[in-house]
Amino acid sequence: MAPRGRNGAAAMAVAVASVVVAWLAGGGGGVVAAAAVGGGGCASSDRLEALPGQPAVAFAQYAGYVAVNEASGRALFYWLTEAAGDASMKPLVLWLNGGPGCSSIAYGASEEIGPFRIKTNGTGLYLNKYSWNREANLLFLESPAGVGFSYSNTTSDLKTSGDERTAQDALKFLVSWMSRFPQYRHRDFYIAGESYAGHYVPQLARKIVEFNKASPNPFINLKGILVGNGVTDNYYDNIGTVTYWWTHAMISDATYKAIMSSCNFTSANVSRLCNRAMSYAMNHEFGDIDQYSIYTPSCAAAAANVNATATATAGGRHRRRRRGKAVLRFKDTFIRRRSFGYDPCTETYAEKYYNRPDVQEAMHANTTGIPYRWTACSDVLIKTWRDSEFSMLPTYRLLMKAGLRVWVFSGDTDSVVPVTATRFALSHLGLKTKIRWYPWYSARQVGGWSEVYEGLTFASVRGAGHEVPLFQPRRAFRMFQSFLAGEPLPKS
């Protein structure tokens, strides 16, 4: 179905990921090699004094590259913003955005949970009042190679990316990065992300669990994962998504029935009838809406209101038209909070800012002269993604069995990976309920609804789109505080 494939077409084929124990067979040579390659340099050389146009801050920042494959020349770019206070006492949180092929710096760091926001037209930065670095040290990773400033010297790598290699390279990154930053070894560590990071986050967590089991002295102290509006299970996600469209009056009864009767959501192959029904819904019934936030203005409408250009649509907003078909991707919405409302055309701000030579120099980025501009999302990776696991539910079971804290949340105005899809998928875990469905509160208002199960907590965030911390920053921050504390969301 349309929003579930690499180009928003059919769900991708099932891929069975190899376990890290096998990868480490023969004495752990893979990790040793990664540490030897990526461990070069020291933290002090990665220290970032200040970004151009950045307001003064007291916390430390670091940015740079960690090599993850010497033979191919793959290196991943990171940006660490330490906690605003008592950094040495606070946990480390790795944030991953999805796509596949979208930048955690463009979205997570610059629109959602990071300490800075980008001013109009990329002229500078301003502070995010609800940055998650108030509670944790934040590590943003552009992954896999080919995303943002991350690169490979082997061009074919950009056309052969997939779930398995992404998780494996991310583990190699962490092992090497913690050699460069030994103060974070054994520190409480969490992985968070959204959208297609619904694959990245649990897959990396699984790699770490297996790595720790195979290591005589494990040092990655993984405590839990936090996944928002995440791609979870192709079959259940698809049914839940079409149901959301119908229950939110986005499609007609006739189209709903046509999709449900003609689409086989267990197969990666899309029938002619299914494709016709999906195309009709997206091209004729949705209208010009932002599918990542169905109640806020689309880019063209907002552009007229804020005197902005519509160039973001050419840069690949929420829906593109290619050969007469609508194309969705699991990226993060381009809508960003402004003092006078939402501006859904802000992808160009990030692309202008991070393509500035002075910004790249300050961030220690693009040191090898990447032969293409920095972009928020890589269309090459999105179109050529190789392997994608059909379901994350078995991995969730494994992580819960390992004793990890598992939280899943959903903004309730996203129609791409909607709350109905996530709830439908999670319901098939068959978990025992500990705390029944209840409204949770933030600033004396209902922040959303939650249910706590044995081993997993689910929460919706009221009035939030695909990028929950963007649309509801205060509610998202309150949720993050409860997650770190391991406490249910407040009932009053």
Side-chain angles (χ1 to χ4, degrees):
M1 93 176 236
R4 286 292 175 264
R6 23 178 202 250
N7 286 325
M12 289 180 280
V14 179
V16 179
S18 61
V19 297
V20 76
V21 174
W23 176 58
L24 292 172
V31 168
V32 172
V37 174
C42 60
S44 61
S45 63
D46 287 355
R47 181 68 183 262
L48 194 163
E49 294 304 325
L51 290 168
Q54 173 202 303
V57 295
F59 55 85
Q61 302 179 73
Y62 299 82
Y65 286 96
V66 173
V68 294
N69 187 285
E70 186 174 19
S72 296
R74 289 200 301 276
L76 303 184
F77 185 80
Y78 80 91
W79 181 11
L80 171 70
T81 59
E82 291 195 332
D86 298 321
S88 64
M89 304 298 292
K90 290 183 177 175
L92 175 67
V93 175
L94 172 67
W95 177 272
L96 301 170
N97 279 97
C102 294
S103 166
S104 299
I105 288 175
Y107 301 106
S110 303
E111 291 192 349
E112 300 184 78
I113 69 169
F116 306 117
R117 293 285 180 267
I118 302 174
K119 292 181 180 178
T120 303
N121 296 323
T123 56
L125 305 173
Y126 60 97
L127 291 175
N128 171 23
K129 180 180 178 181
Y130 294 104
S131 173
W132 288 11
N133 84 325
R134 290 168 53 185
E135 299 291 332
N137 301 281
L138 302 181
L139 178 59
F140 299 97
L141 179 64
E142 294 198 298
S143 174
V147 174
F149 293 123
S150 296
Y151 67 88
S152 175
N153 292 329
T154 303
T155 304
S156 61
D157 277 355
L158 305 187
K159 297 183 179 180
T160 56
S161 290
D163 283 12
E164 170 59 22
R165 194 172 74 196
T166 298
Q168 182 169 306
D169 280 1
L171 175 60
K172 290 181 180 179
F173 165 84
L174 278 175
V175 170
S176 296
W177 188 86
M178 287 187 176
S179 294
R180 192 178 300 181
F181 291 83
Q183 66 269 35
Y184 288 104
R185 293 164 68 101
H186 307 290
R187 184 83 62 94
D188 284 0
F189 175 59
Y190 300 90
I191 313 173
E194 67 194 18
S195 195
Y196 198 80
H199 279 214
Y200 295 165
V201 171
Q203 287 169 342
L204 175 56
R206 184 178 65 202
K207 289 283 188 186
I208 293 171
V209 169
E210 292 163 348
F211 170 73
N212 285 344
K213 285 182 180 179
S215 301
N217 297 299
F219 54 85
I220 305 178
N221 188 20
L222 180 63
K223 292 294 188 179
I225 64 172
L226 178 66
V227 177
N229 289 81
V231 180
T232 305
D233 180 282
N234 284 0
Y235 178 71
Y236 299 132
D237 282 359
N238 285 332
I239 293 177
T241 298
V242 177
T243 300
Y244 186 93
W245 295 349
W246 181 64
T247 57
H248 287 71
M250 295 171 63
I251 60 174
S252 64
D253 293 355
T255 297
Y256 173 72
K257 292 175 182 176
I259 292 172
M260 297 302 289
S261 64
S262 63
C263 295
N264 178 7
F265 297 134
T266 63
S267 172
N269 298 315
V270 182
S271 69
R272 181 177 57 84
L273 289 176
C274 176
N275 186 62
R276 179 187 299 172
M278 293 297 307
S279 295
Y280 189 82
M282 299 178 73
N283 293 323
H284 298 286
E285 293 189 340
F286 280 10
D288 186 13
I289 63 168
D290 187 332
Q291 294 164 45
Y292 294 86
S293 174
I294 64 173
Y295 299 127
T296 51
S298 64
C299 184
N305 292 334
V306 301
N307 246 355
T309 66
T311 53
T313 55
R317 269 203 80 249
H318 63 282
R319 186 172 67 176
R320 298 182 175 187
R321 296 193 180 270
R322 291 191 186 128
R323 300 185 184 92
K325 294 182 180 180
V327 177
L328 281 174
R329 60 190 181 191
F330 292 119
K331 64 173 294 301
D332 302 304
T333 179
F334 297 119
I335 294 180
R336 187 163 67 81
R337 184 63 141 175
R338 302 184 72 188
S339 59
F340 49 89
Y342 289 113
D343 179 356
C345 301
T346 58
E347 182 178 15
T348 53
Y349 301 172
E351 297 209 356
K352 287 180 180 178
Y353 188 74
Y354 292 117
N355 275 297
R356 286 172 49 177
D358 58 340
V359 172
Q360 294 182 6
E361 182 179 2
M363 296 187 78
H364 317 127
N366 197 15
T367 54
T368 60
I370 300 171
Y372 48 82
R373 284 174 56 82
W374 181 94
T375 58
C377 292
S378 167
D379 281 346
V380 173
L381 267 69
I382 290 169
K383 288 188 278 188
T384 60
W385 199 254
R386 284 292 182 92
D387 61 281
S388 177
E389 287 192 71
F390 190 88
S391 176
M392 288 294 99
L393 297 182
T395 299
Y396 277 129
R397 292 189 179 97
L398 183 152
L399 299 179
M400 288 185 288
K401 186 177 180 181
L404 297 184
R405 184 178 307 156
V406 179
W407 278 43
V408 178
F409 65 94
S410 286
D412 59 13
T413 68
D414 173 26
S415 74
V416 178
V417 191
V419 61
T420 47
T422 299
R423 291 181 66 189
F424 192 34
L426 294 180
S427 71
H428 288 81
L429 285 170
L431 302 176
K432 182 180 179 181
T433 301
K434 290 177 62 178
I435 304 176
R436 292 184 61 180
W437 191 267
Y438 69 93
W440 64 272
Y441 286 80
S442 172
R444 300 184 181 182
Q445 298 291 322
V446 173
W449 290 265
S450 180
E451 190 153 59
V452 180
Y453 307 98
E454 293 282 357
L456 185 147
T457 293
F458 171 78
S460 72
V461 182
R462 188 165 68 98
H466 193 62
E467 286 181 279
V468 169
L470 165 65
F471 291 95
Q472 294 291 341
R474 185 170 186 168
R475 292 173 184 174
F477 181 74
R478 184 65 189 86
M479 178 188 66
F480 182 60
Q481 289 177 309
S482 291
F483 168 74
L484 288 182
E487 300 173 349
L489 285 157
K491 292 186 176 182
S492 63

